[in-house]
Amino acid sequence: MEIKVVLATLVELAALEERLVAARDARDRHTRRDDHLGALGRELADDSRVAREAVEQATSALRRLDRELHEVEAAMADRQSRLAKVADDRQAVAVRNELAAFGCRREALEAEALGLLATLERAEAAAGEADADGSRQEARTRTELGTLAAAADRGAAALAAGTEEMARLLALLPDDLARYVRRMQGRDGRGVAMLRDGVCDGCFGQLPAALAAEVARRQTVVKCTGCGRVII
Ligand SMILES: [Zn+2]
């Protein structure tokens, strides 16, 4: 096989490798973002759940407090009606003492209820915010993943077409060279590298001047001393 044809095939092959690597990147980016955004969505859903739980806790605490307040008020009404009926002073003092104690308890409960109402308000605001955060993120995720999925689809199509084209190009090369390129491609998809200003663009190593000169003469197939890729 004529060396000119081999080198021309290798040039074509290098360009195809570049397209295939880009297509694989697009597919992997989509997968990674999908994973990342999925985790983010779960985190935000957790935040929402925790915020809702805080609202529920404050609501049920408030309900309990309300019940106790009613009980205290009922007891106070009971003592008041008893006070109207008691005959002697000693009993009246005892009922009045009870009334005073219930009055203190009612005041304490009312103060507690006020505090809880403020807590509930804050919890509801936080829950609303967490829900809004979740919805916003969900919308962003849908948009971003949609774009990435389209790129990944294009990448998958390019991969399928490119893989076929790669087989065709490799078949044009002498068997041992094709095998070698395929083995080198196994690492990161690139079996052929370009020489740019004496540097291999596969490993960014400087090629010895004599080898670089050989690449320029275009009479033989040269391999990089650094990474082993075929150099064109
Ligand atoms: Zn190299």
Side-chain angles (χ1 to χ4, degrees):
M1 188 180 215
E2 220 185 315
I3 184 71
K4 253 176 31 195
V5 179
V6 171
L7 291 177
T9 306
L10 285 171
V11 169
E12 243 187 285
L13 208 145
L16 178 58
E17 281 181 347
E18 218 167 286
R19 287 204 300 279
L20 282 172
V21 167
R24 257 179 228 121
D25 275 355
R27 185 191 56 193
D28 295 349
R29 238 190 332 271
H30 176 247
T31 310
R32 274 198 307 275
R33 280 307 276 174
D34 198 13
D35 288 350
H36 171 76
L37 291 171
L40 187 60
R42 281 192 294 281
E43 250 171 64
L44 288 173
D46 276 350
D47 287 352
S48 272
R49 191 178 43 72
V50 168
R52 288 275 155 228
E53 274 169 12
V55 170
E56 271 167 41
Q57 264 168 21
T59 307
S60 71
L62 209 53
R63 229 177 273 132
R64 263 199 314 279
L65 218 57
D66 206 39
R67 261 199 308 277
E68 201 184 339
L69 206 54
H70 279 303
E71 280 163 18
V72 168
E73 273 164 0
M76 286 177 81
D78 170 68
R79 299 308 184 277
Q80 231 123 31
S81 71
R82 243 192 267 171
L83 197 59
K85 290 178 219 148
V86 290
D88 66 293
D89 285 353
R90 238 188 41 211
Q91 256 186 323
V93 168
V95 175
R96 262 194 214 98
N97 280 345
E98 274 188 313
L99 257 176
F102 279 126
C104 283
R105 180 66 190 141
R106 184 175 64 180
E107 242 172 72
L109 285 172
E110 276 168 353
E112 214 182 315
L114 272 182
L116 261 177
L117 269 175
T119 303
L120 179 62
E121 234 169 78
R122 275 196 304 274
E124 273 172 346
E129 244 171 74
D131 284 349
D133 278 351
S135 313
R136 268 197 300 275
Q137 183 55 42
E138 220 178 275
R140 271 202 297 270
T141 295
R142 254 199 308 280
T143 311
E144 194 186 338
L145 282 184
T147 311
L148 284 175
D153 283 349
R154 283 195 301 276
L159 269 179
T163 307
E164 242 175 76
E165 173 70 358
M166 181 59 75
R168 189 186 69 80
L169 287 177
L170 285 169
L172 293 178
L173 295 176
D175 281 352
D176 53 345
L177 182 57
R179 258 199 307 280
Y180 184 80
V181 169
R182 209 177 291 128
R183 194 170 73 240
M184 293 306 294
Q185 283 176 341
R187 287 188 307 194
D188 64 354
R190 294 189 60 196
V192 182
M194 304 263 198
L195 189 67
R196 294 183 209 278
D197 300 325
V199 173
C200 161
D201 82 345
C203 65
F204 302 106
Q206 184 88 36
L207 214 64
L211 268 186
E214 219 176 300
V215 173
R217 260 201 309 279
R218 301 173 63 82
Q219 293 303 316
T220 48
V221 172
V222 179
K223 289 163 190 167
C224 173
T225 45
C227 63
R229 290 186 178 89
V230 174
I231 293 272
I232 51 171

